[in-house]
Amino acid sequence: MDEVSLNGEPLYDDETNEFEIEGDCAMTEFVGQNGVIQGENPLPPAVGMEFESYEDVYYFYNCYARDQGFGVRVSNTWYRKSKERYRGKLSCSSAGFKKKSEASRPRPETRTGCPAMIKFRLMENKRWRVIEVELEHNHLISPVSGKFYKSHKTMNLGTKRPLQADGSDKIQKIRLFRTVVIDTEDNGSFYFDEGEFGNNFDHSNQLKLKQGDAQAIYDSFCQLQLMNPNFFYLMDINEKGYLRNVFWADARFRTAYGYFGDVIVVDTTCLTDKYEVPLVVFSGVNHHGQYLLFGCGLLAGETVDSYMWLFRAWLTYMLGRPPQAIIVDQCKSLRNALADVFPRASCFLSLSHVMKKVPKNLGGLREYEALKVALVSAVYHSLRADEFEMAWENMIQRYGVRDHKWLQTLYEDRKWWVPVYLKETFLAGMCPNEESEGVTTLFGAYLHKNTSIKDFLDHYDLALEEVHQRETLADLESENSSPILRSRMYFELQLSKIYTKYIFDKFQAEVEGMFSCFSTRQVSTDGSIITYIVKEHAEVEENRMETKDYEVVEEGRKSHDRYKLALEALDEILNKVRLVEDRPICILCKLDRPAVLDSLIALCNGLD
């Protein structure tokens, strides 16, 4: 197996001063022949664990091996010329294969080339850190058989102490394990020390934690894990052993993402606006139009590496299923990371975030107020792309802002945030042109700019419970409501039984909007593209109505032909019914509509 150092340090400090011992080292200079290992390990080995001595690593792994049902042997130990050990590898006793023996009656082969092992090395802080772990075996293991292995019948003389959980020496005996944070699926664990982080060093590649924050993270995650065994969290450690990034989620997030994960929002408001909590939130909307969580993270800074680590952690937790579209803030490093981790997902900018930056980026200009009005008009009132292009050109020419860098960037990205370019894009109801509430809605009064990490985590489960309660209440309201139908159309009745109250209200608003449209006429046909002009009599201001002409383009001649055939079929069906029943058409349409629809469906299926 290749040598790997997760801390970015070289394998050898000085090749001329080091040598390596390979093979079945029995640690004879440290291990006695009497005694049986006692105690239990609270955690499996994981990358990032740190121990006070070489012997402690062996003792820990041997305890774990006994509980799992396999033996341990020392595969490799690296020494400097000063005979100081600085690196080691412990393996399953079934690792490798024995050398072929020329004996007439050789012993049977008991090894299987098992890959299970841990590698560890001496760090600058004089602790031994686990740098690589393989937990999987290629043979059967059983806790019942653990006591029969040779390694479990001997004990390191330097560590003749059971891993007890009580007594006056509790902190000394289990302090090592309290500094380890691990997720529930053994995907890795990482070290952090309250004392080190309490100093609040201003390093750009570590979280800026205040006194008590590190312990709050640990306590909060432990509590959430007790409440929900499927709670998952992962931590990123920098090269000096400091906590850099954090990600967490629970099983409910993954379930919700399975239903509503077509489009997600990555909200970095807390990070970009310099909140005390550098929070990044993955969210979406449910079938009630409510925001819901897909995951959370704490980042040391707005770097490509930090974002990539977070996105990969989130994608791994979501079983490698990326969303179709992602709505984000206008941040170059964020978008670069998204393009690398989600190459097939479409990335859109939140218009509300863009417009919030207008005062900051344009407020110093002489004609700011007039420029702002022109910008809002171009963005929100343009119905076609060429209208927006013309309005934008008039704006930058009139106010002399052609060379303004921020406006240039906005124009280059126009297809990812201006509503007129997003008409045919599926965004699952999370249109970037709507006001994004995101973090504010999800965490309400529990998160402000000066809220500490400790206070936020103390109230995190309460905020989450409020989100779940809102969804439950909306479910009950949808199940028990009887909406008033606003038309005599059968499909409105059908959809009232299928849609949630929130979605049906939006649908009814569209139905009502149809009544304001009149004088539809076809104006041109260009191959498979048919253009219509539709007039709408709508309220533009309070108590003021206005008639507007809208150009509607239909693409696809085949669908148009099918529509014409369906209309002809409807006329034929109604004529036949009129001849037989001799009743008014309007009554027939009302009474026999289900039968008519069934006939049309059958006809359209035959046209495919």
Side-chain angles (χ1 to χ4, degrees):
M1 186 176 291
D2 295 336
E3 302 294 334
V4 177
S5 173
L6 300 184
N7 303 293
E9 300 179 7
L11 284 175
Y12 306 102
D13 299 329
D14 185 351
E15 293 184 1
T16 61
N17 294 325
E18 298 164 350
F19 60 93
E20 174 185 355
I21 295 177
E22 298 186 14
D24 298 339
C25 305
M27 298 180 69
T28 54
E29 69 270 41
F30 301 106
V31 181
Q33 299 302 318
N34 299 319
V36 178
I37 287 180
Q38 304 177 38
E40 295 182 355
N41 282 351
L43 299 170
V47 173
M49 285 183 172
E50 291 194 358
F51 300 82
E52 292 182 343
S53 67
Y54 185 104
E55 293 76 33
D56 284 355
V57 182
Y58 182 88
Y59 181 78
F60 172 83
Y61 192 56
N62 210 8
C63 285
Y64 169 75
R66 188 203 63 174
D67 293 341
Q68 296 296 310
F70 66 94
V72 172
R73 64 187 181 89
V74 180
S75 294
N76 304 79
T77 302
W78 285 262
Y79 289 80
R80 296 187 175 94
K81 278 194 173 181
S82 62
K83 294 188 178 181
E84 178 190 16
R85 292 170 299 184
Y86 76 97
R87 187 179 178 88
K89 177 182 177 182
L90 304 179
S91 302
C92 171
S93 57
S94 296
F97 297 94
K98 291 182 178 179
K99 295 181 180 179
K100 292 185 178 180
S101 174
E102 297 180 358
S104 58
R105 300 179 63 182
R107 292 184 179 181
E109 178 63 80
T110 58
R111 299 186 185 180
T112 62
C114 181
M117 61 86 203
I118 64 170
K119 290 182 182 178
F120 51 101
R121 68 171 294 137
L122 185 64
M123 307 302 295
E124 292 180 358
N125 59 9
K126 299 303 180 182
R127 290 179 178 172
W128 291 83
R129 176 181 294 175
V130 177
I131 60 173
E132 187 174 344
V133 174
E134 177 56 63
L135 298 179
E136 297 298 323
H137 297 259
N138 63 1
H139 57 94
L140 296 176
I141 58 176
S142 171
V144 178
S145 61
K147 60 184 179 181
F148 298 111
Y149 288 98
K150 180 179 178 181
S151 65
H152 303 152
K153 296 180 182 179
T154 60
M155 177 183 243
N156 188 326
L157 294 177
T159 56
K160 275 191 176 180
R161 65 183 190 278
L163 297 179
Q164 300 174 0
D166 53 17
S168 59
D169 295 332
K170 173 181 177 182
I171 296 179
Q172 179 181 355
K173 292 175 181 176
I174 67 173
R175 179 171 62 88
L176 176 69
F177 305 114
R178 292 184 72 252
T179 60
V180 175
V181 182
I182 191 167
D183 68 69
T184 60
E185 299 183 5
D186 299 339
N187 288 324
S189 63
F190 301 92
Y191 160 83
F192 63 88
D193 190 312
E194 180 74 38
E196 293 182 46
F197 289 116
N199 295 329
N200 194 23
F201 294 124
D202 188 21
H203 293 167
S204 60
N205 67 337
Q206 73 178 64
L207 278 177
K208 298 173 179 61
L209 302 180
K210 294 183 177 179
Q211 187 70 30
D213 284 348
Q215 189 63 43
I217 293 174
Y218 175 76
D219 293 342
S220 177
F221 286 2
C222 286
Q223 180 64 26
L224 290 168
Q225 199 170 63
L226 287 174
M227 296 169 59
N228 182 356
N230 293 317
F231 179 77
F232 171 98
Y233 57 100
L234 197 60
M235 295 192 175
D236 178 34
I237 304 300
N238 68 14
E239 63 278 0
K240 292 187 178 181
Y242 292 103
L243 186 63
R244 178 164 50 193
N245 304 308
V246 183
F247 168 74
W248 72 91
D250 64 35
R252 188 176 296 188
F253 296 173
R254 182 186 288 167
T255 302
Y257 178 74
Y259 286 105
F260 308 112
D262 299 289
V263 184
I264 69 169
V265 175
V266 179
D267 196 328
T268 58
T269 301
C270 294
L271 191 62
T272 56
D273 291 355
K274 309 302 179 184
Y275 278 50
E276 288 289 324
V277 183
L279 183 67
V280 176
V281 174
F282 297 85
S283 63
V285 293
N286 62 14
H287 50 323
H288 301 297
Q290 301 169 335
Y291 275 86
L292 70 165
L293 274 174
F294 292 151
C296 295
L298 300 175
L299 295 188
E302 298 179 78
T303 65
V304 174
D305 290 341
S306 290
Y307 282 130
M308 287 179 62
W309 180 89
L310 181 65
F311 295 153
R312 285 170 177 165
W314 181 83
L315 187 60
T316 299
Y317 176 71
M318 293 303 178
L319 306 178
R321 296 176 298 177
Q324 296 178 12
I326 305 174
I327 300 174
V328 296
D329 193 8
Q330 189 185 16
C331 173
K332 186 176 181 180
S333 58
L334 171 62
R335 295 171 69 186
N336 288 341
L338 285 171
D340 189 274
V341 181
F342 305 102
R344 297 184 179 181
S346 300
C347 181
F348 300 95
L349 303 180
S350 172
L351 178 55
S352 62
H353 286 183
V354 171
M355 300 308 290
K356 285 178 183 178
K357 293 181 179 180
V358 169
K360 176 182 177 182
N361 290 280
L362 303 180
L365 299 178
R366 185 178 58 182
E367 298 182 84
Y368 165 68
E369 292 297 336
L371 175 61
K372 181 181 177 181
V373 171
L375 177 63
V376 169
S377 177
V379 171
Y380 288 102
H381 300 153
S382 298
L383 298 178
R384 297 196 309 268
D386 58 345
E387 288 183 11
F388 171 79
E389 301 279 353
M390 185 180 300
W392 186 276
E393 178 62 28
N394 291 337
M395 177 188 72
I396 62 175
Q397 184 174 347
R398 179 175 180 179
Y399 299 103
V401 290
R402 187 177 299 277
D403 296 328
H404 195 283
K405 292 184 178 180
W406 186 68
L407 288 176
Q408 288 177 348
T409 301
L410 286 183
Y411 183 74
E412 292 171 0
D413 294 334
R414 62 192 181 282
K415 293 184 179 180
W416 308 111
W417 65 276
V418 178
V420 71
Y421 293 100
L422 304 177
K423 290 181 177 180
E424 299 181 5
T425 303
F426 176 69
L427 293 174
M430 284 189 291
C431 298
N433 57 311
E434 294 181 355
E435 185 68 21
S436 176
E437 298 175 339
V439 172
T440 305
T441 299
L442 286 169
F443 295 110
Y446 304 114
L447 182 59
H448 302 288
K449 193 164 187 176
N450 296 320
T451 302
S452 68
I453 292 178
K454 183 179 184 303
D455 289 341
F456 169 69
L457 291 175
D458 287 344
H459 296 92
Y460 172 79
D461 55 339
L462 295 177
L464 211 59
E465 187 60 31
E466 290 182 4
V467 173
H468 298 154
Q469 287 180 357
R470 286 197 295 267
E471 183 175 2
T472 301
L473 291 174
D475 284 338
L476 292 174
E477 184 179 13
S478 291
E479 292 174 2
N480 299 323
S481 64
S482 298
I484 300 174
L485 303 184
R486 299 174 184 176
S487 73
R488 296 183 178 182
M489 299 178 183
Y490 180 71
F491 62 78
E492 187 181 9
L493 175 61
Q494 267 188 314
L495 297 178
S496 69
K497 300 176 181 178
I498 298 174
Y499 288 164
T500 61
K501 183 180 184 301
Y502 170 80
I503 298 297
F504 187 69
D505 287 345
K506 294 176 74 70
F507 171 76
Q508 279 195 317
E510 295 298 322
V511 171
E512 289 183 333
M514 290 194 309
F515 300 139
S516 300
C517 298
F518 60 96
S519 183
T520 302
R521 60 189 176 87
Q522 179 177 330
V523 293
S524 66
T525 301
D526 184 8
S528 61
I529 300 177
I530 304 173
T531 304
Y532 300 88
I533 293 296
V534 178
K535 293 183 180 294
E536 181 184 25
H537 192 59
E539 184 176 5
V540 292
E541 294 179 3
E542 188 176 358
N543 299 324
R544 189 171 74 87
M545 305 296 291
E546 185 176 298
T547 300
K548 289 186 176 181
D549 289 350
Y550 293 93
E551 186 179 273
V552 180
V553 178
E554 179 188 12
E555 296 186 15
R557 185 72 188 183
K558 181 178 178 181
S559 60
H560 177 68
D561 292 341
R562 288 180 57 183
Y563 176 70
K564 288 179 62 179
L565 289 173
L567 288 178
E568 293 174 359
L570 177 60
D571 289 339
E572 183 178 355
I573 291 170
L574 293 178
N575 287 333
K576 289 180 179 179
V577 174
R578 183 189 296 109
L579 293 174
V580 174
E581 300 289 345
D582 195 23
R583 285 184 289 174
I585 295 294
C586 59
I587 297 178
L588 282 171
C589 290
K590 183 176 181 180
L591 296 178
D592 301 327
R593 183 175 291 276
V596 172
L597 288 176
D598 289 341
S599 300
L600 284 174
I601 291 172
L603 175 63
C604 291
N605 288 337
L607 294 174
D608 289 336

